[in-house]
Amino acid sequence: MIIWQACSMNSRVWYNFGLIISTFCYLYFFNSTSPPNMKKIFKLFLILILASGCSTDDPNSGNGIDKSANLKSLGTSASDLLTDAKFTSMKIELVYVTGFEPSPKTITNLVEFLNARTYKPDGITVTTRAVTSSGKAPFDINEIVKIEAEERLSYNAGDEIAVYIYFADGSNDKDNSTKIVLGSAYRNTSIVIYGKTINNVSNRINAPDKSTIESTVVNHEFGHLFGLVNLGTPLQSAHEDDESAGHCEVSGCLMNANVQFGGGLVDMVDNNTILQLDNFCLQDLQANGGK
Ligand SMILES: [Zn+2]
Ligand SMILES: [Zn+2]
């Protein structure tokens, strides 16, 4: 059973095809008057096919893990993350490049945010792990996707949904003097945080604590996984920013575009307080099954 679950669709089709052909060959030669040696050869062939099970040539089935549910587009798992209908627990796999570890407070704040917004009666767990640098900074999002394929270990399993967060040792390669990207939610359960950029912002004079900036950005990106704004969670009112798709037009809301794009973040975060979702965003989440 485990072998069958591990098979991807493609390899399963080829496996079945090989099985049918070899069975036919075997039956044909077994019933024919062919020499006994031929029977032996096809018997061996059939055993080999059966023993090989399935190949792992499909990138989505490496190591016998079905990764397909975690390779979908942003916002498609919003209700799975918010409700307990399909998944009763959540596992966050937080991977950071050595030297870019998020502060423990950031993790505590994230778990608090998730408990406040989601129904996961069997709990939310966070595992952290250091990895070596990819040496690819500054990053284009395709490089971030490649790093995930190499580093991510946790995928949805049973009634547990898995989310991957990568703290990168560099910045986004599209950053310029007027716009910098602090983080990005790029698939249904995948987030990148540009650790080096966060360090630079937090080192500015009068900047908020590093953990306050980290928390605001991580929670903001999680808001995108929750389908905000209008990214898989339907709008209950017109509050999407006309100039920045996927963001809330309310200044001071966690889902305002300035959170992701650094610029106004330092001004928005006062007294080291993490930004919160405004009522419009909360209503959207609640209508999609969240708290
Ligand atoms: Zn955003
Ligand atoms: Zn909002």
Side-chain angles (χ1 to χ4, degrees):
M1 263 329 270
I2 289 166
I3 289 172
W4 281 109
Q5 282 167 359
C7 291
S8 68
M9 206 52 204
N10 278 346
S11 47
R12 212 179 286 172
V13 167
W14 283 111
Y15 176 61
N16 288 340
F17 182 69
L19 197 60
I20 290 163
I21 295 291
S22 52
T23 306
F24 268 117
C25 291
Y26 176 68
L27 289 174
Y28 174 76
F29 282 102
F30 190 77
N31 293 319
S32 73
T33 53
S34 58
N37 273 351
M38 287 302 284
K39 285 183 191 174
K40 272 187 193 163
I41 290 168
F42 278 99
K43 214 176 199 175
L44 187 66
F45 181 54
L46 180 60
I47 288 166
L48 279 175
I49 288 277
L50 281 169
S52 68
C54 67
S55 71
T56 53
D57 54 348
D58 186 320
N60 296 344
S61 67
N63 302 323
I65 299 168
D66 181 5
K67 302 178 180 179
S68 57
N70 298 90
L71 301 175
K72 295 181 177 168
S73 58
L74 180 58
T76 54
S77 293
S79 69
D80 287 345
L81 289 162
L82 292 166
T83 73
D84 61 356
K86 232 169 124 183
F87 299 98
T88 56
S89 63
M90 191 191 302
K91 182 179 183 179
I92 315 283
E93 181 187 7
L94 197 155
V95 176
Y96 60 90
V97 176
T98 305
F100 294 86
E101 183 173 9
S103 80
K105 210 169 166 210
T106 300
I107 297 167
T108 310
N109 289 337
L110 173 63
V111 173
E112 201 173 284
F113 173 69
L114 296 177
N115 276 321
R117 302 278 72 93
T118 70
Y119 291 94
K120 296 296 168 198
D122 294 329
I124 294 166
T125 52
V126 181
T127 62
T128 59
R129 193 172 78 253
V131 295
T132 54
S133 170
S134 64
K136 296 273 168 59
F139 302 96
D140 128 314
I141 202 70
N142 294 318
E143 283 162 342
I144 295 296
V145 168
K146 276 188 210 158
I147 293 169
E148 177 180 358
E150 286 163 22
E151 304 290 1
R152 183 170 183 168
L153 300 177
S154 297
Y155 296 87
N156 296 0
D159 53 13
E160 184 164 76
I161 191 164
V163 174
Y164 163 90
I165 305 177
Y166 181 70
F167 275 73
D169 57 333
S171 56
N172 184 282
D173 67 355
K174 308 282 186 306
D175 285 356
N176 57 42
S177 56
T178 56
K179 191 173 174 181
I180 56 166
V181 180
L182 296 171
S184 187
Y186 56 96
R187 266 199 308 228
N188 60 330
T189 61
S190 306
I191 290 171
V192 58
I193 304 295
Y194 295 105
K196 195 178 168 198
T197 313
I198 289 196
N199 287 354
N200 291 343
V201 171
S202 67
N203 286 336
R204 288 182 196 164
I205 298 166
N206 295 329
D209 284 351
K210 188 183 156 214
S211 76
T212 306
I213 298 174
E214 271 176 357
S215 284
T216 304
V217 176
V218 171
N219 292 5
H220 173 97
E221 301 310 333
F222 232 105
H224 286 316
L225 299 189
F226 287 157
L228 295 173
V229 171
N230 202 16
L231 288 177
T233 285
L235 291 175
Q236 301 303 303
S237 57
H239 65 106
E240 187 177 9
D241 188 341
D242 292 337
E243 283 156 28
S244 184
H247 292 107
C248 179
E249 65 183 7
V250 176
S251 169
C253 171
L254 177 68
M255 296 316 294
N256 191 276
N258 281 333
V259 174
Q260 191 162 9
F261 304 121
L265 180 62
V266 175
D267 303 324
M268 288 169 75
V269 180
D270 294 326
N271 304 320
N272 290 317
T273 308
I274 307 163
L275 292 183
Q276 305 291 316
L277 292 170
D278 73 323
N279 281 335
F280 297 127
C281 284
L282 283 177
Q283 283 160 9
D284 290 355
L285 290 189
Q286 284 159 3
N288 201 19
K291 280 183 190 165

